[in-house]
Amino acid sequence: FFFGYRLPRMDVPSSSNSKRPAEDEAEDHDPKKAKVDGDDTSKLISDATNSEFLAGLASKKEKKFVKPKVEPVELLVGGKKFKTSRETLTSVGGCRLAELFTRDGPNEAQKNEEGRYMIPDRKGDHFMFILNYLRDREIDVPDERPTKEEIEEEAKFYGLEELVSLLQGRS
């Protein structure tokens, strides 16, 4: 028995009078090279081992989580650099960012020479809050600058009505 499988009996050469070197004897007794009734014993061993291995792979494959590919996007907003994903920028349908970053959309954003998308004439300090809202659907506005009203103005520009409502409710 080998791995729970019964192996067929192997034929042994009948000429016991002739002496061969020890390495030749070891070669003949190697189950991977021995022939049994025209079948290769190593194939039997290999098939048994492979089927167990493949069964193990199949069970692991079912549990494996495949992360979706995330396309990074670099932005230049008001002179400040940001890096996020296209999925984040398009997560709120109908907003200005979704219009700009939807593939092949009518208003697709343009890149500068460095490969960054530009949103000119907007405040980079405020865009950080907009981006965090798009990621988490929450906002944490500090007491100091930028003020809640300035962030609310940016949210209106980008068409983020839910964020505007959140900010107006925090009086």
Side-chain angles (χ1 to χ4, degrees):
F1 287 95
F2 185 77
F3 293 118
Y5 295 93
R6 185 178 180 144
L7 296 177
R9 201 172 143 185
M10 291 188 267
D11 291 334
V12 180
S14 60
S15 62
S16 58
N17 294 343
S18 64
K19 290 281 184 181
R20 292 182 292 179
E23 63 186 17
D24 287 343
E25 285 181 18
E27 218 174 272
D28 283 346
H29 295 293
D30 184 357
K32 291 181 180 174
K33 294 185 179 181
K35 295 277 185 182
V36 179
D37 298 330
D39 291 334
D40 187 3
T41 305
S42 63
K43 181 169 175 20
L44 293 173
I45 294 169
S46 172
D47 289 346
T49 308
N50 284 342
S51 63
E52 291 169 6
F53 174 74
L54 292 174
L57 273 181
S59 66
K60 287 180 184 177
K61 189 174 184 178
E62 292 170 7
K63 296 176 188 175
K64 186 177 178 183
F65 175 74
V66 178
K67 263 180 113 174
K69 184 179 176 186
V70 176
E71 181 184 343
V73 175
E74 291 187 27
L75 301 163
L76 188 61
V77 182
K80 294 198 176 237
K81 297 174 188 173
F82 295 91
K83 191 170 187 176
T84 188
S85 69
R86 186 177 295 268
E87 288 76 18
T88 297
L89 294 170
T90 59
S91 64
V92 175
C95 78
R96 185 167 291 191
L97 290 168
E99 290 174 7
L100 288 172
F101 290 97
T102 299
R103 292 184 206 285
D104 302 324
N107 301 318
E108 188 176 8
Q110 300 299 312
K111 292 182 179 181
N112 67 6
E113 309 81 41
E114 297 166 345
R116 291 188 184 93
Y117 290 98
M118 292 180 51
I119 302 179
D121 302 328
R122 301 315 302 172
K123 298 175 183 171
D125 293 335
H126 300 81
F127 190 73
M128 175 183 66
F129 294 98
I130 301 296
L131 203 51
N132 285 338
Y133 169 76
L134 292 173
R135 289 179 183 133
D136 305 326
R137 297 299 190 270
E138 296 177 356
I139 186 139
D140 185 26
V141 181
D143 293 332
E144 64 275 350
R145 289 189 63 87
T147 65
K148 181 180 73 157
E149 290 80 20
E150 291 171 323
I151 297 171
E152 185 180 327
E153 182 181 320
E154 291 298 299
K156 286 178 184 176
F157 171 79
Y158 290 113
L160 298 168
E161 297 304 321
E162 187 177 308
L163 176 56
V164 171
S165 297
L166 272 174
L167 291 166
Q168 289 174 348
R170 294 184 180 204
S171 300

